[in-house]
Amino acid sequence: MTIVPFNKPYMTGKELWYISQAHHAGQLAGDGTYTKKCHTWLQKKHDCSKALLTHSCTAALEMSAILADVKEGDEVIMPSYTFVSTANAFVLRGAVPVFIDIRPDTLNLDETLVESAITDKTRAIVPVHYAGVGCEMDTLQNIAQKHQLLLIEDAAQGLMATYKDKPLGSFGDLSCFSFHETKNIISGEGGALIINNSRFTEEAEIIREKGTNRSQFFRGQVDKYTWIEKGSSYLPGELIAAFLYAQLEEAEQIIASRLKVWDYYHELLEPLEKEGKLRRPIIPKECQHNGHMYYILLENLDTRTRLIEYLKAEGIYSVFHYVPLHSSPAGEHYGRVHGSMTITNQLSDNLVRLPLFPLLQFSEIERIVSLIKIFLEG
Ligand SMILES: *Cc1c(COP(=O)(O)O)cnc(C)c1O
C-alpha cells in the first residue's frame, strides 16, 4: 500500500546553496543580504510601503496588534473559523476578539455582518483569506474607511493569490503572511508583515528590533542607536531568509503546480457534487486563488469522521480543521460572539482537507477520488 501523506514540503533545490552562501559570508543574524532580497521581492509583489520578514505569521499578527495600539477592552472583528493566532495576537494586548459568521460559499468572514458588529470600542477588522481565496475586499475597505477602523489582513494562506487582479496582502493597512512548512511558500517557520499604510513603517521597524532605532541607525538617519519604544525581537536569522529566498524565486512554478493538483481534484470530483454527495470549493469571479488547499464539504460530522478513517485505512491522510474559536475554551473566555454562528458551526463539522502538494501524482489523485466515490456511494 502506498502512503499518501497530507503534506510533503516542496524544496526547489537551491535552499541549501543559499544557506551555504550566508554561512560562507558569516552572516547569521537577521537583516543581512538574503533578508533584503526577500524584502525586495515582497515589496515589488505587493507594491507596499515596506515588507519585513518575521518569525511567523503569528509574530506579524502580534506586531500588527502592537502597531494598532489596541488596549484593554478594545474590540477586533474577525471570523471564528480561523487559526488561533488571528485572535491570540490581539488577546495578548488585552483586546476582545468579536467573532462573526462566515460566508457559505468561500468560508471567509461574511462582510455583510461586519457593520452591525461595530461598537465604539472597535479598532480593527481582521479578514482571513481562507484557502487562499480573497475576502470581499472592496466592501471591507469601504467599511474600514467609513468607520475609521484599521484593516489587517490575515493573509497566512494567501501569498500569490489575487482579488480583482491585485495581490492579497496589498489591501490592508497591515497584512500578515506565513511561510510555515504547511503553506505554499515555506521556510520551516517564517512570516512577513506587509505595511501598506506608511504611517506604520518607522514604528514597525522599531518594534521588530527590540524597541530600538537600529534600522535607522544603519541607514545613517540617526547618529545614536538606542531604546526608544516598546518592542520585541521579531526578525528571523539569515539562514531562514536564505531558505525562503530560494522558494520565492520559484514561487510562480510552485503555485502553478499546486493549481494543477487543485484543478484535477476539482474536475474529478464534479460528478459526486452533481449527485449531491459533497460540495466542492467555490471561487468567486473576482478571485484568483493560489491552490493552497483542496477541501470537500460532506453531509455531516459522522460522514466526515468515517471518511477520514476510511482513507487512513487505505494509507491516505486527510485532515479537518478548525475548531471554531468561539467554541474553544480560550475563545469563550477572551472573545465574544456577534450574531448567529450557524454557517461556522455547520461547515466546520463537515469539512475535509485532501492531500495537496506540488509533487502529488495524478494517479494518486485518481486513487483518492475513486476511494471517496466508493465510500460515498457504497
Ligand atoms: C498558518 C496560519 C497562521 C499562523 O501562521 P504561522 O506562520 O504558523 O504563525 C495564522 N493564520 C492563518 C489563517 C493560518 O492559516
Side-chain angles (χ1 to χ4, degrees), residues 1-4 272 296 298 301-320 352 354-355 366-378:
M1 186 168 68
T2 49
I3 302 289
V4 182
L272 280 170
I296 51 176
L298 301 164
L301 177 60
D302 177 58
T303 312
R304 188 213 19 216
T305 309
R306 287 187 300 113
L307 176 63
I308 291 175
E309 281 305 310
Y310 178 77
L311 292 174
K312 193 173 155 198
E314 298 287 340
I316 293 156
Y317 290 84
S318 61
V319 301
F320 69 86
V352 185
L354 302 177
E366 285 158 12
R367 185 169 146 245
I368 294 166
V369 171
S370 64
L371 286 166
I372 294 172
K373 194 169 147 61
I374 292 166
F375 175 81
L376 291 175
E377 289 177 342

Side-chain angles (χ1 to χ4, degrees), residues 97-153:
V98 175
F99 300 118
I100 61 171
D101 212 353
I102 48 173
R103 290 165 47 141
D105 59 349
T106 56
L107 282 61
N108 281 331
L109 101 167
D110 186 339
E111 68 281 357
T112 66
L113 304 175
V114 171
E115 264 192 307
S116 70
I118 296 172
T119 70
D120 55 7
K121 289 189 167 163
T122 310
R123 295 290 167 264
I125 308 167
V126 188
V128 179
H129 305 296
Y130 182 67
V133 179
C135 295
E136 182 32 51
M137 295 315 288
D138 275 355
T139 308
L140 291 171
Q141 274 186 325
N142 286 337
I143 296 171
Q145 217 161 40
K146 181 171 151 201
H147 296 273
Q148 300 195 320
L149 302 174
L150 289 173
L151 189 58
I152 300 170
E153 289 175 71

Side-chain angles (χ1 to χ4, degrees), residues 56-58 61 82-83 85-86 128 154 156-157 178 180 183 190 322:
S56 59
C57 181
T58 303
L61 286 161
T82 179
F83 187 66
S85 299
T86 319
V128 179
D154 181 338
Q157 305 173 11
S178 174
H180 185 265
K183 302 301 199 282
Y322 304 101

Side-chain angles (χ1 to χ4, degrees), residues 7-307:
N7 182 45
K8 208 186 265 180
Y10 175 79
M11 253 81 72
T12 69
K14 277 201 184 160
E15 289 85 355
L16 286 180
W17 169 244
Y18 287 162
I19 286 174
S20 76
Q21 292 295 99
H23 176 268
H24 181 73
Q27 277 191 352
L28 301 174
D31 282 342
T33 311
Y34 283 103
T35 301
K36 290 200 178 89
K37 283 179 188 285
C38 293
H39 286 175
T40 304
W41 191 99
L42 288 163
Q43 273 157 215
K44 243 168 117 178
K45 182 90 212 154
H46 299 95
D47 194 21
C48 58
S49 168
K50 190 95 197 169
L52 295 169
L53 291 191
T54 57
H55 293 298
S56 59
C57 181
T58 303
L61 286 161
E62 286 181 19
M63 285 182 70
S64 301
I66 298 172
L67 287 164
D69 199 24
V70 294
K71 302 227 161 58
E72 198 73 32
D74 283 351
E75 296 179 348
V76 182
I77 298 169
M78 63 181 66
S80 167
Y81 190 66
T82 179
F83 187 66
V84 294
S85 299
T86 319
N88 199 56
F90 294 93
V91 168
L92 279 173
R93 313 240 70 84
V96 178
V98 175
F99 300 118
I100 61 171
D101 212 353
I102 48 173
R103 290 165 47 141
D105 59 349
T106 56
L107 282 61
N108 281 331
L109 101 167
D110 186 339
E111 68 281 357
T112 66
L113 304 175
V114 171
E115 264 192 307
S116 70
I118 296 172
T119 70
D120 55 7
K121 289 189 167 163
T122 310
R123 295 290 167 264
I125 308 167
V126 188
V128 179
H129 305 296
Y130 182 67
V133 179
C135 295
E136 182 32 51
M137 295 315 288
D138 275 355
T139 308
L140 291 171
Q141 274 186 325
N142 286 337
I143 296 171
Q145 217 161 40
K146 181 171 151 201
H147 296 273
Q148 300 195 320
L149 302 174
L150 289 173
L151 189 58
I152 300 170
E153 289 175 71
D154 181 338
Q157 305 173 11
L159 191 74
M160 307 283 288
T162 62
Y163 167 83
K164 297 194 175 170
D165 297 325
K166 257 183 83 178
L168 301 185
S170 59
F171 298 90
D173 295 279
L174 302 162
S175 303
C176 306
F177 284 112
S178 174
F179 304 118
H180 185 265
E181 172 186 302
T182 52
K183 302 301 199 282
N184 288 12
I185 302 298
I186 60 175
S187 60
E189 304 280 350
L193 178 68
I194 303 293
I195 300 152
N196 294 307
N197 181 339
S198 59
R199 97 172 141 97
F200 293 115
T201 308
E202 200 172 299
E203 201 186 342
E205 286 184 330
I206 292 166
I207 289 168
R208 182 169 165 270
E209 275 278 20
K210 301 97 183 165
T212 72
N213 56 355
R214 190 168 188 269
S215 300
Q216 291 168 309
F217 176 72
F218 278 110
R219 284 198 297 263
Q221 291 164 337
V222 290
D223 58 12
K224 265 201 304 288
Y225 161 31
T226 182
W227 182 27
I228 54 170
E229 245 274 40
K230 60 181 182 289
S232 187
S233 174
Y234 287 115
L235 70 166
E238 273 293 285
L239 303 187
I240 291 279
F243 190 109
L244 179 63
Y245 188 62
Q247 295 259 322
L248 290 174
E249 274 190 325
E250 279 196 29
E252 300 276 354
Q253 296 93 306
I254 293 171
I255 303 299
S257 52
R258 294 187 75 98
L259 285 170
K260 270 194 198 155
V261 170
W262 197 100
D263 289 342
Y264 198 44
Y265 269 127
H266 208 58
E267 182 191 325
L268 295 184
L269 286 163
E270 190 181 2
L272 280 170
E273 185 179 66
K274 286 207 166 125
E275 286 172 38
K277 301 284 187 198
L278 52 79
R279 208 204 84 189
R280 296 177 303 158
I282 297 169
I283 313 292
K285 279 191 305 293
E286 310 74 62
C287 298
Q288 172 59 58
H289 71 100
N290 57 7
H292 175 58
M293 189 191 300
Y294 200 89
Y295 65 80
I296 51 176
L297 290 161
L298 301 164
E299 206 179 340
N300 53 41
L301 177 60
D302 177 58
T303 312
R304 188 213 19 216
T305 309
R306 287 187 300 113
L307 176 63

Side-chain angles (χ1 to χ4, degrees), residues 314-347:
E314 298 287 340
I316 293 156
Y317 290 84
S318 61
V319 301
F320 69 86
H321 73 173
Y322 304 101
V323 175
L325 298 185
H326 76 274
S327 45
S328 67
E332 280 180 358
H333 183 71
Y334 295 110
R336 175 165 77 70
V337 167
H338 177 83
S340 142
M341 282 287 157
T342 316
I343 313 282
T344 301
N345 291 332
Q346 191 190 341
L347 299 189

